[in-house]
Amino acid sequence: MSQPLGAGVVTPGPPPGGSAPGRPARGRRPRSGHGHPWLTLLAVALGVMMVGLDATVVSIANPAIARDLGADLSGLQWVTNAYLLAIAVTLIPAGKIADRFGRRRTFLAGVAGFAISSVLIGLSGGLGAVVFWRVVQGFAGALLQPASLAILRNTFPAERLNTAIGVWGATVGVSIAGGPIVAGLLVENVGWESVFFVNAPLGLLALAVGLWVIRESRDEEAAGSFDVPGVALLSGGLFALVWGLIKAGENGFGDTVPRLSFAAAVVLGVLFVLNELRAERPLLPMSLFRSASLSAATGLIVLGFFGMFGTIFFITLYLQQVHGMSPVDAGVRLLPMTAVFIVASPLAGALTSRFGPRVPLAAGMAFTAIAMFGLSRIGVDAPYGQLWPWFVLVGLAFGFVMVGGTEAIVGNAPPRLAGVAGGLQQTAAQVGGVLGTSVLGTILSTRVGDVLFVRLTEAGVPADAAGRLQGTGGLVSQGVAPVPPGTPGPAAEAITTGSHLAFMDGFQTSLTVAGTVAVVAVLVALLVRRGRSPVEGVAAL
């Protein structure tokens, strides 16, 4: 039976005149809270809370941004996509930067950059400025996320690391799930700018606590040349992949742009691997993936976020567009998911401490599959009593997969590469989220296009009118009924009924695919084992 992370390991003593990086010296209490693990966790949690909130508040604010700034659909999509591209291509290089130049320094720089760029987004007077500062915000978010995990990895003793990651995961989950409620209240009562301004006090508090308590740590072996070719190849490959996914979500996977982007991503990915195998100090040591557990956990993070983020995206459309709820009402209906987030992550941390990450990962993917198949059976007018049990399972699944996968990735990497491991985990999550919204979105829209004419005519829309509405599949795929202005009541009701039925056909098909993927992921989870000790991890490299 494998040992828990750090078990039986003799850690090196502190250097002359100081303590070991990231840990207070033995026998001495940290002065004024400096280096205190739980205060450090508080600072880290405040930082990642900004990023978690941003993951969902922007989608609620988008309609108000479009009205105020006169943005069309394409321009509005870039408010999200600019941030997504920036953060996806920067996460792993940011982890390496944290390992080399200091995790505390990198984390605090990311917090400051995220808060400042958020304020500047709110002060922007045009769409171009909003998109520009969203790019800057993405770069800042990439700096603070992997550094936050690396700080925890180098602050908490092995027996408490899983608990700390559980709290970290709960913070991310609650902020993501609470975002729609917060954003709805702010947009309706203050304005869209306020959803970005809210990051300023969180950032200031995280900076104040972080400057006080976080101890600096770095990889002392990372000095010397930086793997610039590796950074360029990985960033280019991830950019091509995410760009292709975004364009596929807009135009379908058969379009020329996604195909060329995916081909470029494959070529750059191969060149990156070859470069890393030859580089003296690689950006992402390929030897990390000798661990079957780390490799499997990375894949599970992708698959988990594939299903869960895609589902949350579609459920939000379902509640607001099909059921006609306001942003605040939809956010309140998701409270069962939010409440479970709070409990699921610490529970997953406790299960991981006792049984290793395999149990929460397998359980989380099983919960995902059950929830996907359950939600795939709901109808247009499903009462809330048929929805909330599946929301609870999604909440449990999210917490279990995030905490179990994070521990398996970070725990199977040596402490000196904690920043790189954190960047790998976050990159997997971002790619999984993009895959979920783009692949499942394409499946949904394709299915809507196939059935829209039939659903409209079955609902009583004349064939010639249904034919004219065939080109509105893009709106129907968002749950919108394309009722032309001045349409008589009975005809408008028929168009609405047929459109919503077509949307539900696509909704059900996409979630069935997500559930099938989750079933496969349960089998992958069986490959994951408990994290190795730091000594074993270093020896393997």
Side-chain angles (χ1 to χ4, degrees):
M1 182 174 180
S2 61
Q3 289 179 308
L5 183 63
V9 175
V10 179
T11 56
S19 59
R23 302 286 179 90
R26 291 179 181 271
R28 289 190 294 171
R29 295 172 63 88
R31 291 181 298 173
S32 302
H34 188 59
H36 191 286
W38 299 109
L39 291 177
T40 298
L41 177 59
L42 173 62
V44 167
L46 289 169
V48 299
M49 185 178 293
M50 293 192 302
V51 181
L53 282 171
D54 197 81
T56 49
V57 296
V58 177
S59 60
I60 300 297
N62 271 339
I65 294 174
R67 288 193 302 268
D68 194 22
L69 302 181
D72 59 14
L73 179 60
S74 176
L76 194 61
Q77 285 174 327
W78 276 107
V79 174
T80 297
N81 293 342
Y83 173 85
L84 183 65
L85 277 170
I87 199 169
V89 303
T90 316
L91 278 165
I92 291 179
K96 192 68 173 182
I97 289 170
D99 286 337
R100 181 181 179 187
F101 297 106
R103 288 112 184 196
R104 175 181 183 269
R105 181 180 303 169
T106 304
F107 173 77
L108 294 178
V111 169
F114 200 92
I116 293 171
S117 58
S118 296
V119 172
L120 291 173
I121 291 169
L123 295 175
S124 298
L127 185 65
V130 169
V131 171
F132 173 80
W133 289 115
R134 283 285 281 168
V135 171
V136 176
Q137 190 185 44
F139 289 144
L143 286 176
L144 75 89
Q145 288 190 82
S148 70
L149 280 171
I151 288 168
L152 297 182
R153 179 70 172 83
N154 286 273
T155 299
F156 279 84
E159 65 273 12
R160 294 184 180 177
L161 178 61
N162 294 327
T163 301
I165 291 178
V167 175
W168 176 89
T171 302
V172 175
V174 169
S175 55
I176 288 173
I181 301 175
V182 173
L185 291 171
L186 289 173
V187 170
E188 290 181 14
N189 296 288
V190 182
W192 66 265
E193 299 88 347
S194 60
V195 305
F196 297 102
F197 291 152
V198 75
N199 287 329
L202 285 174
L204 286 173
L205 190 55
L207 278 174
V209 179
L211 286 168
W212 174 39
V213 303
I214 298 176
R215 295 173 65 94
E216 187 60 280
S217 65
R218 59 173 56 86
D219 176 12
E220 298 299 339
E221 298 182 21
S225 61
F226 199 67
D227 184 14
V228 176
V231 172
L233 290 170
L234 179 62
S235 299
L238 287 173
F239 179 90
L241 174 62
V242 176
W243 178 267
L245 290 171
I246 289 171
K247 301 308 288 185
E250 296 174 358
N251 306 318
F253 283 86
D255 189 66
T256 302
V257 173
R259 288 183 175 181
L260 292 176
S261 296
F262 295 145
V266 171
V267 172
L268 291 170
V270 171
L271 292 175
F272 171 73
V273 172
L274 294 175
N275 177 81
E276 297 306 279
L277 292 173
R278 294 195 307 265
E280 181 180 354
R281 297 195 179 279
L283 174 68
L284 180 62
M286 292 294 103
S287 51
L288 276 174
F289 297 100
R290 293 173 188 165
S291 167
S293 295
L294 185 146
S295 301
T298 303
L300 286 168
I301 290 287
V302 172
L303 296 177
F305 277 69
F306 172 89
M308 288 177 284
F309 265 65
T311 302
I312 292 172
F313 179 78
F314 295 133
I315 283 294
T316 302
L317 290 177
Y318 173 75
L319 293 176
Q320 293 190 50
Q321 307 287 32
V322 177
H323 275 261
M325 297 181 185
S326 70
V328 174
D329 289 339
V332 170
R333 296 305 191 281
L334 292 174
L335 276 175
M337 192 183 303
T338 308
V340 172
F341 276 150
I342 300 173
V343 178
S345 294
L347 177 59
L351 288 173
T352 303
S353 296
R354 182 165 184 178
F355 302 108
R358 179 187 301 170
V359 170
L361 279 172
M365 296 313 305
F367 292 153
T368 301
I370 295 170
M372 299 301 101
F373 289 132
L375 287 169
S376 71
R377 298 175 65 84
I378 64 174
V380 171
D381 299 320
Y384 186 62
Q386 292 182 11
L387 301 177
W388 71 261
W390 309 124
F391 293 170
V392 170
L393 280 182
V394 172
L396 281 172
F398 189 84
F400 278 33
V401 171
M402 184 163 60
V403 173
T406 299
E407 196 281 338
I409 293 172
V410 178
N412 277 290
R416 67 182 181 85
L417 293 177
V420 173
L424 179 63
Q425 185 268 357
Q426 296 289 341
T427 301
Q430 292 292 330
V431 171
V434 179
L435 280 169
T437 53
S438 60
V439 173
L440 297 180
T442 300
I443 292 172
L444 185 148
S445 60
T446 301
R447 179 62 175 162
V448 166
D450 291 341
V451 302
L452 180 57
F453 180 84
V454 174
R455 285 300 193 183
L456 288 171
T457 54
E458 287 177 347
V461 178
D464 58 340
R468 291 193 297 270
L469 292 171
Q470 187 73 17
T472 62
L475 288 174
V476 178
S477 297
Q478 300 175 43
V480 177
V483 180
T487 302
E493 183 176 352
I495 293 173
T496 300
T497 298
S499 299
H500 286 170
L501 287 172
F503 171 82
M504 293 308 299
D505 284 338
F507 177 92
Q508 292 164 358
T509 301
S510 62
L511 292 192
T512 299
V513 171
T516 304
V517 169
V519 170
V520 175
V522 174
L523 302 178
V524 177
L526 300 179
L527 300 175
V528 178
R529 294 184 178 181
R530 189 186 297 272
R532 301 168 301 184
S533 69
V535 166
E536 289 172 324
V538 174
L541 297 175

